Structure formats: C-alpha cells, structure tokens
mmCIF file of all heavy atoms in Angstrom:
data_model
loop_
_atom_site.group_PDB
_atom_site.id
_atom_site.type_symbol
_atom_site.label_atom_id
_atom_site.label_comp_id
_atom_site.label_asym_id
_atom_site.label_seq_id
_atom_site.Cartn_x
_atom_site.Cartn_y
_atom_site.Cartn_z
ATOM 1 N N VAL G 9 80.635 -101.044 125.923
ATOM 2 C CA VAL G 9 79.794 -99.846 125.703
ATOM 3 C C VAL G 9 78.656 -100.103 124.738
ATOM 4 O O VAL G 9 77.977 -99.216 124.285
ATOM 5 C CB VAL G 9 80.657 -98.636 125.190
ATOM 6 C CG1 VAL G 9 81.684 -98.227 126.201
ATOM 7 C CG2 VAL G 9 81.344 -99.007 123.831
ATOM 8 N N ARG G 10 78.405 -101.390 124.494
ATOM 9 C CA ARG G 10 77.269 -101.745 123.585
ATOM 10 C C ARG G 10 76.115 -102.219 124.475
ATOM 11 O O ARG G 10 75.904 -103.441 124.655
ATOM 12 C CB ARG G 10 77.689 -102.840 122.598
ATOM 13 C CG ARG G 10 76.671 -103.103 121.498
ATOM 14 C CD ARG G 10 77.102 -104.282 120.665
ATOM 15 N NE ARG G 10 76.200 -104.487 119.512
ATOM 16 C CZ ARG G 10 76.284 -105.508 118.698
ATOM 17 N NH1 ARG G 10 77.226 -106.420 118.847
ATOM 18 N NH2 ARG G 10 75.418 -105.630 117.668
ATOM 19 N N PHE G 11 75.353 -101.266 124.989
ATOM 20 C CA PHE G 11 74.245 -101.674 125.804
ATOM 21 C C PHE G 11 73.163 -100.572 125.686
ATOM 22 O O PHE G 11 73.400 -99.451 125.405
ATOM 23 C CB PHE G 11 74.630 -101.820 127.274
ATOM 24 C CG PHE G 11 75.256 -100.571 127.880
ATOM 25 C CD1 PHE G 11 74.481 -99.520 128.354
ATOM 26 C CD2 PHE G 11 76.655 -100.446 127.958
ATOM 27 C CE1 PHE G 11 75.056 -98.396 128.877
ATOM 28 C CE2 PHE G 11 77.198 -99.256 128.457
ATOM 29 C CZ PHE G 11 76.409 -98.242 128.917
ATOM 30 N N LEU G 12 71.917 -101.018 125.883
ATOM 31 C CA LEU G 12 70.789 -100.082 125.954
ATOM 32 C C LEU G 12 70.171 -100.216 127.337
ATOM 33 O O LEU G 12 69.756 -99.239 127.911
ATOM 34 C CB LEU G 12 69.773 -100.424 124.876
ATOM 35 C CG LEU G 12 68.585 -99.482 124.785
ATOM 36 C CD1 LEU G 12 69.031 -98.032 124.523
ATOM 37 C CD2 LEU G 12 67.606 -99.919 123.660
ATOM 38 N N PHE G 13 70.141 -101.458 127.851
ATOM 39 C CA PHE G 13 69.646 -101.734 129.193
ATOM 40 C C PHE G 13 70.712 -102.482 129.943
ATOM 41 O O PHE G 13 71.763 -102.921 129.389
ATOM 42 C CB PHE G 13 68.354 -102.483 129.165
ATOM 43 C CG PHE G 13 67.245 -101.845 128.313
ATOM 44 C CD1 PHE G 13 66.923 -102.322 127.071
ATOM 45 C CD2 PHE G 13 66.598 -100.763 128.841
ATOM 46 C CE1 PHE G 13 65.952 -101.695 126.286
ATOM 47 C CE2 PHE G 13 65.608 -100.128 128.075
ATOM 48 C CZ PHE G 13 65.277 -100.607 126.856
ATOM 49 N N ARG G 14 70.527 -102.645 131.241
ATOM 50 C CA ARG G 14 71.449 -103.455 132.106
ATOM 51 C C ARG G 14 72.881 -102.912 131.983
ATOM 52 O O ARG G 14 73.829 -103.717 131.782
ATOM 53 C CB ARG G 14 71.345 -104.925 131.741
ATOM 54 C CG ARG G 14 70.000 -105.516 131.917
ATOM 55 C CD ARG G 14 69.936 -106.987 131.628
ATOM 56 N NE ARG G 14 70.818 -107.731 132.497
ATOM 57 C CZ ARG G 14 70.894 -109.035 132.551
ATOM 58 N NH1 ARG G 14 70.109 -109.757 131.762
ATOM 59 N NH2 ARG G 14 71.723 -109.660 133.392
ATOM 60 N N GLU G 15 73.040 -101.655 132.136
ATOM 61 C CA GLU G 15 74.349 -101.032 132.094
ATOM 62 C C GLU G 15 75.251 -101.634 133.133
ATOM 63 O O GLU G 15 76.480 -101.770 132.928
ATOM 64 C CB GLU G 15 74.253 -99.535 132.275
ATOM 65 C CG GLU G 15 75.582 -98.801 132.356
ATOM 66 C CD GLU G 15 75.440 -97.306 132.651
ATOM 67 O OE1 GLU G 15 74.265 -96.885 132.893
ATOM 68 O OE2 GLU G 15 76.446 -96.639 132.720
ATOM 69 N N GLY G 16 74.686 -101.949 134.314
ATOM 70 C CA GLY G 16 75.527 -102.447 135.414
ATOM 71 C C GLY G 16 76.305 -103.673 135.139
ATOM 72 O O GLY G 16 77.291 -103.991 135.760
ATOM 73 N N ASP G 17 75.848 -104.501 134.137
ATOM 74 C CA ASP G 17 76.532 -105.719 133.782
ATOM 75 C C ASP G 17 77.908 -105.466 133.198
ATOM 76 O O ASP G 17 78.738 -106.356 133.132
ATOM 77 C CB ASP G 17 75.686 -106.500 132.775
ATOM 78 C CG ASP G 17 74.429 -107.093 133.396
ATOM 79 O OD1 ASP G 17 74.295 -107.051 134.627
ATOM 80 O OD2 ASP G 17 73.521 -107.511 132.640
ATOM 81 N N SER G 18 78.166 -104.258 132.735
ATOM 82 C CA SER G 18 79.436 -103.931 132.084
ATOM 83 C C SER G 18 80.378 -103.172 133.003
ATOM 84 O O SER G 18 81.460 -102.816 132.551
ATOM 85 C CB SER G 18 79.181 -103.167 130.781
ATOM 86 O OG SER G 18 78.715 -101.851 131.102
ATOM 87 N N LEU G 19 79.947 -102.835 134.184
ATOM 88 C CA LEU G 19 80.805 -101.950 135.045
ATOM 89 C C LEU G 19 81.923 -102.749 135.697
ATOM 90 O O LEU G 19 81.782 -103.957 136.031
ATOM 91 C CB LEU G 19 79.941 -101.344 136.148
ATOM 92 C CG LEU G 19 78.802 -100.381 135.684
ATOM 93 C CD1 LEU G 19 77.952 -99.949 136.850
ATOM 94 C CD2 LEU G 19 79.427 -99.173 134.992
ATOM 95 N N ASP G 20 83.061 -102.091 135.897
ATOM 96 C CA ASP G 20 84.168 -102.676 136.649
ATOM 97 C C ASP G 20 84.648 -101.592 137.613
ATOM 98 O O ASP G 20 85.462 -100.685 137.246
ATOM 99 C CB ASP G 20 85.289 -103.065 135.671
ATOM 100 C CG ASP G 20 86.493 -103.682 136.409
ATOM 101 O OD1 ASP G 20 86.471 -103.710 137.687
ATOM 102 O OD2 ASP G 20 87.368 -104.239 135.759
ATOM 103 N N SER G 21 84.167 -101.605 138.858
ATOM 104 C CA SER G 21 84.447 -100.541 139.828
ATOM 105 C C SER G 21 85.923 -100.471 140.192
ATOM 106 O O SER G 21 86.381 -99.397 140.664
ATOM 107 C CB SER G 21 83.595 -100.668 141.040
ATOM 108 O OG SER G 21 83.795 -101.945 141.681
ATOM 109 N N SER G 22 86.662 -101.532 139.980
ATOM 110 C CA SER G 22 88.079 -101.493 140.362
ATOM 111 C C SER G 22 88.871 -100.509 139.490
ATOM 112 O O SER G 22 89.987 -100.121 139.824
ATOM 113 C CB SER G 22 88.679 -102.893 140.286
ATOM 114 O OG SER G 22 88.771 -103.323 138.916
ATOM 115 N N LYS G 23 88.263 -100.118 138.334
ATOM 116 C CA LYS G 23 88.933 -99.214 137.431
ATOM 117 C C LYS G 23 88.312 -97.786 137.410
ATOM 118 O O LYS G 23 88.661 -96.950 136.611
ATOM 119 C CB LYS G 23 88.968 -99.800 136.015
ATOM 120 C CG LYS G 23 89.701 -101.113 135.902
ATOM 121 C CD LYS G 23 89.634 -101.639 134.501
ATOM 122 C CE LYS G 23 90.395 -103.011 134.417
ATOM 123 N NZ LYS G 23 90.286 -103.585 133.015
ATOM 124 N N ASP G 24 87.320 -97.584 138.301
ATOM 125 C CA ASP G 24 86.676 -96.283 138.329
ATOM 126 C C ASP G 24 87.710 -95.221 138.740
ATOM 127 O O ASP G 24 88.632 -95.414 139.510
ATOM 128 C CB ASP G 24 85.548 -96.279 139.379
ATOM 129 C CG ASP G 24 84.331 -97.054 138.918
ATOM 130 O OD1 ASP G 24 84.267 -97.408 137.708
ATOM 131 O OD2 ASP G 24 83.467 -97.293 139.741
ATOM 132 N N LYS G 25 87.485 -94.009 138.201
ATOM 133 C CA LYS G 25 88.300 -92.847 138.606
ATOM 134 C C LYS G 25 87.359 -91.703 139.005
ATOM 135 O O LYS G 25 86.137 -91.784 138.753
ATOM 136 C CB LYS G 25 89.221 -92.426 137.483
ATOM 137 C CG LYS G 25 90.279 -93.440 137.077
ATOM 138 C CD LYS G 25 91.178 -92.876 135.946
ATOM 139 C CE LYS G 25 91.964 -91.671 136.425
ATOM 140 N NZ LYS G 25 92.893 -91.198 135.383
ATOM 141 N N VAL G 26 87.918 -90.707 139.626
ATOM 142 C CA VAL G 26 87.123 -89.573 139.997
ATOM 143 C C VAL G 26 87.819 -88.325 139.535
ATOM 144 O O VAL G 26 89.042 -88.143 139.705
ATOM 145 C CB VAL G 26 86.955 -89.560 141.585
ATOM 146 C CG1 VAL G 26 85.920 -88.489 141.958
ATOM 147 C CG2 VAL G 26 86.544 -90.902 142.090
ATOM 148 N N ASP G 27 87.016 -87.359 139.015
ATOM 149 C CA ASP G 27 87.525 -86.031 138.648
ATOM 150 C C ASP G 27 87.026 -85.043 139.689
ATOM 151 O O ASP G 27 85.832 -85.139 140.107
ATOM 152 C CB ASP G 27 87.081 -85.626 137.254
ATOM 153 C CG ASP G 27 87.875 -86.296 136.170
ATOM 154 O OD1 ASP G 27 89.007 -86.714 136.444
ATOM 155 O OD2 ASP G 27 87.373 -86.395 135.062
ATOM 156 N N PHE G 28 87.875 -84.106 140.068
ATOM 157 C CA PHE G 28 87.491 -83.088 141.027
ATOM 158 C C PHE G 28 87.634 -81.725 140.321
ATOM 159 O O PHE G 28 88.710 -81.397 139.839
ATOM 160 C CB PHE G 28 88.372 -83.146 142.278
ATOM 161 C CG PHE G 28 88.208 -84.443 142.989
ATOM 162 C CD1 PHE G 28 89.097 -85.497 142.805
ATOM 163 C CD2 PHE G 28 87.170 -84.649 143.933
ATOM 164 C CE1 PHE G 28 88.962 -86.701 143.481
ATOM 165 C CE2 PHE G 28 87.032 -85.826 144.615
ATOM 166 C CZ PHE G 28 87.906 -86.873 144.398
ATOM 167 N N ILE G 29 86.552 -80.998 140.253
ATOM 168 C CA ILE G 29 86.550 -79.735 139.528
ATOM 169 C C ILE G 29 85.995 -78.624 140.401
ATOM 170 O O ILE G 29 84.952 -78.782 141.038
ATOM 171 C CB ILE G 29 85.634 -79.838 138.258
ATOM 172 C CG1 ILE G 29 86.210 -80.981 137.389
ATOM 173 C CG2 ILE G 29 85.576 -78.620 137.496
ATOM 174 C CD1 ILE G 29 85.187 -81.829 136.688
ATOM 175 N N GLU G 30 86.757 -77.532 140.484
ATOM 176 C CA GLU G 30 86.262 -76.392 141.245
ATOM 177 C C GLU G 30 85.019 -75.839 140.649
ATOM 178 O O GLU G 30 84.933 -75.625 139.471
ATOM 179 C CB GLU G 30 87.376 -75.311 141.323
ATOM 180 C CG GLU G 30 87.004 -74.132 142.162
ATOM 181 C CD GLU G 30 88.056 -73.039 142.191
ATOM 182 O OE1 GLU G 30 89.093 -73.221 141.519
ATOM 183 O OE2 GLU G 30 87.843 -72.010 142.900
ATOM 184 N N GLY G 31 84.009 -75.609 141.486
ATOM 185 C CA GLY G 31 82.747 -75.097 141.045
ATOM 186 C C GLY G 31 81.788 -76.221 140.735
ATOM 187 O O GLY G 31 81.943 -77.343 141.182
ATOM 188 N N PHE G 32 80.741 -75.863 139.968
ATOM 189 C CA PHE G 32 79.633 -76.797 139.723
ATOM 190 C C PHE G 32 79.748 -77.456 138.376
ATOM 191 O O PHE G 32 79.928 -76.801 137.376
ATOM 192 C CB PHE G 32 78.296 -76.018 139.779
ATOM 193 C CG PHE G 32 77.916 -75.587 141.154
ATOM 194 C CD1 PHE G 32 78.251 -74.317 141.564
ATOM 195 C CD2 PHE G 32 77.196 -76.385 141.992
ATOM 196 C CE1 PHE G 32 77.903 -73.840 142.848
ATOM 197 C CE2 PHE G 32 76.830 -75.933 143.279
ATOM 198 C CZ PHE G 32 77.161 -74.672 143.670
ATOM 199 N N ILE G 33 79.608 -78.759 138.406
ATOM 200 C CA ILE G 33 79.468 -79.555 137.154
ATOM 201 C C ILE G 33 78.092 -80.285 137.304
ATOM 202 O O ILE G 33 77.799 -80.899 138.326
ATOM 203 C CB ILE G 33 80.549 -80.593 137.005
ATOM 204 C CG1 ILE G 33 81.877 -79.930 136.814
ATOM 205 C CG2 ILE G 33 80.267 -81.560 135.849
ATOM 206 C CD1 ILE G 33 81.997 -79.152 135.487
ATOM 207 N N GLY G 34 77.299 -80.217 136.268
ATOM 208 C CA GLY G 34 75.966 -80.904 136.289
ATOM 209 C C GLY G 34 74.911 -80.094 137.014
ATOM 210 O O GLY G 34 75.177 -79.019 137.558
ATOM 211 N N SER G 35 73.727 -80.638 137.034
ATOM 212 C CA SER G 35 72.601 -79.985 137.748
ATOM 213 C C SER G 35 71.733 -81.025 138.474
ATOM 214 O O SER G 35 70.673 -80.678 138.955
ATOM 215 C CB SER G 35 71.744 -79.205 136.769
ATOM 216 O OG SER G 35 71.323 -80.031 135.643
ATOM 217 N N TYR G 36 72.191 -82.286 138.471
ATOM 218 C CA TYR G 36 71.451 -83.364 139.192
ATOM 219 C C TYR G 36 72.361 -84.029 140.222
ATOM 220 O O TYR G 36 72.837 -85.115 140.016
ATOM 221 C CB TYR G 36 71.053 -84.472 138.168
ATOM 222 C CG TYR G 36 70.046 -84.091 137.080
ATOM 223 C CD1 TYR G 36 70.417 -83.468 135.926
ATOM 224 C CD2 TYR G 36 68.696 -84.340 137.277
ATOM 225 C CE1 TYR G 36 69.539 -83.098 134.957
ATOM 226 C CE2 TYR G 36 67.783 -84.020 136.299
ATOM 227 C CZ TYR G 36 68.201 -83.389 135.152
ATOM 228 O OH TYR G 36 67.291 -83.050 134.179
ATOM 229 N N PRO G 37 72.664 -83.315 141.300
ATOM 230 C CA PRO G 37 73.578 -83.913 142.284
ATOM 231 C C PRO G 37 72.994 -85.159 142.933
ATOM 232 O O PRO G 37 71.790 -85.227 143.194
ATOM 233 C CB PRO G 37 73.753 -82.793 143.283
ATOM 234 C CG PRO G 37 72.510 -81.994 143.195
ATOM 235 C CD PRO G 37 72.110 -82.044 141.725
ATOM 236 N N ASN G 38 73.864 -86.145 143.184
ATOM 237 C CA ASN G 38 73.434 -87.334 143.903
ATOM 238 C C ASN G 38 73.713 -87.205 145.391
ATOM 239 O O ASN G 38 73.183 -87.989 146.197
ATOM 240 C CB ASN G 38 74.182 -88.557 143.387
ATOM 241 C CG ASN G 38 74.056 -88.746 141.914
ATOM 242 O OD1 ASN G 38 75.064 -88.953 141.241
ATOM 243 N ND2 ASN G 38 72.866 -88.780 141.397
ATOM 244 N N TRP G 39 74.503 -86.212 145.768
ATOM 245 C CA TRP G 39 75.017 -86.164 147.162
ATOM 246 C C TRP G 39 75.508 -84.763 147.459
ATOM 247 O O TRP G 39 76.271 -84.177 146.717
ATOM 248 C CB TRP G 39 76.174 -87.197 147.193
ATOM 249 C CG TRP G 39 76.717 -87.551 148.527
ATOM 250 C CD1 TRP G 39 76.063 -87.553 149.757
ATOM 251 C CD2 TRP G 39 78.036 -87.940 148.836
ATOM 252 N NE1 TRP G 39 76.876 -87.976 150.727
ATOM 253 C CE2 TRP G 39 78.131 -88.236 150.237
ATOM 254 C CE3 TRP G 39 79.178 -88.111 148.071
ATOM 255 C CZ2 TRP G 39 79.279 -88.630 150.847
ATOM 256 C CZ3 TRP G 39 80.311 -88.549 148.702
ATOM 257 C CH2 TRP G 39 80.341 -88.803 150.053
ATOM 258 N N PHE G 40 75.049 -84.230 148.564
ATOM 259 C CA PHE G 40 75.628 -82.999 149.134
ATOM 260 C C PHE G 40 76.620 -83.356 150.265
ATOM 261 O O PHE G 40 76.308 -84.203 151.099
ATOM 262 C CB PHE G 40 74.551 -82.105 149.747
ATOM 263 C CG PHE G 40 73.552 -81.479 148.737
ATOM 264 C CD1 PHE G 40 72.266 -81.256 149.068
ATOM 265 C CD2 PHE G 40 74.025 -81.087 147.522
ATOM 266 C CE1 PHE G 40 71.404 -80.704 148.203
ATOM 267 C CE2 PHE G 40 73.180 -80.505 146.595
ATOM 268 C CZ PHE G 40 71.828 -80.330 146.933
ATOM 269 N N VAL G 41 77.744 -82.674 150.274
ATOM 270 C CA VAL G 41 78.744 -82.911 151.289
ATOM 271 C C VAL G 41 79.169 -81.571 151.864
ATOM 272 O O VAL G 41 79.361 -80.606 151.058
ATOM 273 C CB VAL G 41 79.980 -83.636 150.712
ATOM 274 C CG1 VAL G 41 81.033 -83.838 151.809
ATOM 275 C CG2 VAL G 41 79.623 -84.964 150.119
ATOM 276 N N VAL G 42 79.274 -81.449 153.137
ATOM 277 C CA VAL G 42 79.683 -80.238 153.798
ATOM 278 C C VAL G 42 80.813 -80.541 154.716
ATOM 279 O O VAL G 42 80.717 -81.389 155.644
ATOM 280 C CB VAL G 42 78.510 -79.617 154.603
ATOM 281 C CG1 VAL G 42 78.978 -78.323 155.254
ATOM 282 C CG2 VAL G 42 77.340 -79.297 153.706
#
C-alpha cells in the first residue's frame, strides 16, 4: 500500500473479493447491468 503511481504493480487479483450491497454505493459506476 506504499504507492503514489503504478498502483497496478501491487495488485493480486487472485485475492480480490466482492461486496454486494442493496441500493446505491458510490456515484461513479463503471458498469450498468440489467
């Protein structure tokens, strides 16, 4: 977590998780799903 640029160098997608929350979180959606 010690980065200012090149955040992608520290990512490990095998450990990613997802939270699911009823209603709206955030205001900058990356993706609409219907």
